[in-house]
Amino acid sequence: MIDPVALASRLIACPSVTPEDAGAIDVIAEALEAIGFTVHSFWAGDAPDGPVRNLFATRGQGGPHFAFAGHSDVVPAGPGWGTDPFTPVIRGDLLHGRGAVDMKGAVAAFIAAAARIPDHQGTLSLIITGDEEGPATHGTLALMAWMEERGIRPDLCLVGEPTSAHRLGDTIKIGRRGSVNMWIEVPGTQGHVAYPHLADNPAPRLIRILNELDGWTLDTGNRWFQPSNLEITDIAIGNPATNIIPGVARARLNIRFNDAHRGADLVEHVRQVVARHAPRGTVEARISGEAFLTEPGRLSTLVTDAIHRATGLEAELSTSGGTSDARFLSRLCPVVEFGLCNATMHKLDEAVAVADLHALTDIYADIITHALQG
């Protein structure tokens, strides 16, 4: 048997601020090997986004194949904590430490759940990366490439992100919106403000571009997704002088989009808007992930039934929130996300209820049992 609180504490003690590993993967590997898993770990990528340490562990053989995915890296702690963020401490009913909720607690709970079920049909695996909180270029994508080379493909996948809103088990994620960042640059010609005919001010054109984009209604949402939204996140000219027409104006925007869109199509629309108002303008884009939806079915029912048996709650099926590595894993198989309460994730004095760690272990054990019945 594995105590999820003790294992979570060991993981919190590893200051694995992305992309640093700080021993976290070794802690996970040791725990998994002790309960019969074959563990493979490898480094991927170079600085500045790497190197990243990743882990794939498997136990059993044949089908069905049920996978758990998660991450060992955390966001920086920042100043102002009541205690050392990487020294786990229990105060009252809460275990405090960076990563307690997002998501070392869920990783510990799943390993503890797997320890309860040493004999099972099919294959149980864990897909763990050290690069979820960062650029996510050398983590889950590298693991998926490693799996593809070996012909490994799960039938179902559960991601242990902290999805619960108010009580453990009240929400699971069956999809996520996509995200794209864009950088717009409008060139002009610098000159004296008293001689505008000798200059070309890019600011009015950028304003017209942003005004049109701000008024763009992408969609009105659908059954599972809220409306897509475009947000202007930065406007920069950087002109310290009052008597100079600037030579360039820049802006940045982000679009969170539902499954009515593809990232490339949104980028092309923005480029067309820019071209109409500023023919020499440019748009650079980075698509962080496409929207995905796992239609309610066997996987979501496995999870919601296990939650109901443990808590009595009827979990809400949701697609709200930001992105996660489920956006990549959805290419492999049906994937849903379920984990701890997210109220303190990425915050000072991040903490998980000790009782929730034990309850999550119970739920994960139930999911494993029913997922591997065939």
Side-chain angles (χ1 to χ4, degrees), residues 140-343:
T140 295
L141 289 174
L143 277 159
M144 289 169 60
W146 184 93
M147 292 163 62
E148 184 178 10
E149 290 172 0
R150 291 155 180 80
I152 300 170
R153 194 180 190 93
D155 298 306
L156 302 171
C157 182
L158 173 67
V159 180
E161 287 291 337
T163 61
S164 300
H166 305 290
R167 293 179 57 191
L168 177 69
D170 62 7
T171 307
I172 73 170
K173 305 289 187 182
I174 60 169
R176 295 277 191 165
R177 294 193 297 171
S179 176
V180 56
N181 286 295
M182 296 185 227
W183 292 261
I184 298 170
E185 182 170 295
V186 177
T189 301
Q190 184 176 317
H192 198 292
V193 295
Y195 302 91
H197 59 289
L198 300 178
D200 179 14
N201 194 337
R205 287 197 300 278
L206 180 62
I207 291 169
R208 289 192 290 272
I209 290 167
L210 297 180
N211 184 60
E212 180 173 340
L213 292 175
D214 186 56
W216 177 26
T217 299
L218 283 80
D219 55 74
T220 57
N222 56 40
R223 180 185 178 190
W224 292 113
F225 285 94
Q226 66 194 85
S228 304
N229 65 289
L230 180 153
E231 300 299 330
I232 298 164
T233 58
D234 188 40
I235 301 173
I237 293 179
N239 181 6
T242 59
N243 59 351
I244 294 179
I245 292 172
V248 65
R250 300 180 178 90
R252 184 183 66 227
L253 59 88
N254 176 269
I255 302 177
R256 295 298 170 108
F257 57 95
N258 61 35
D259 60 349
H261 306 276
R262 301 290 293 176
D265 296 332
L266 297 172
V267 174
E268 179 58 27
H269 178 88
V270 171
R271 286 192 169 128
Q272 291 176 8
V273 172
V274 171
R276 282 199 299 274
H277 296 284
R280 293 192 296 136
T282 59
V283 178
E284 298 294 328
R286 179 181 177 186
I287 301 169
S288 302
E290 300 288 349
F292 79 92
L293 175 69
T294 298
E295 289 284 352
R298 179 170 179 244
L299 179 54
S300 57
T301 300
L302 275 172
V303 178
T304 56
D305 284 355
I307 291 170
H308 183 73
R309 283 188 286 268
T311 68
L313 295 175
E314 298 291 343
E316 176 189 356
L317 306 183
S318 172
T319 61
S320 64
T323 60
S324 78
D325 279 1
R327 68 191 189 273
F328 306 130
L329 295 161
S330 62
R331 304 173 195 170
L332 295 178
C333 63
V335 56
V336 301
E337 303 171 54
F338 167 60
L340 295 161
C341 292
N342 55 29

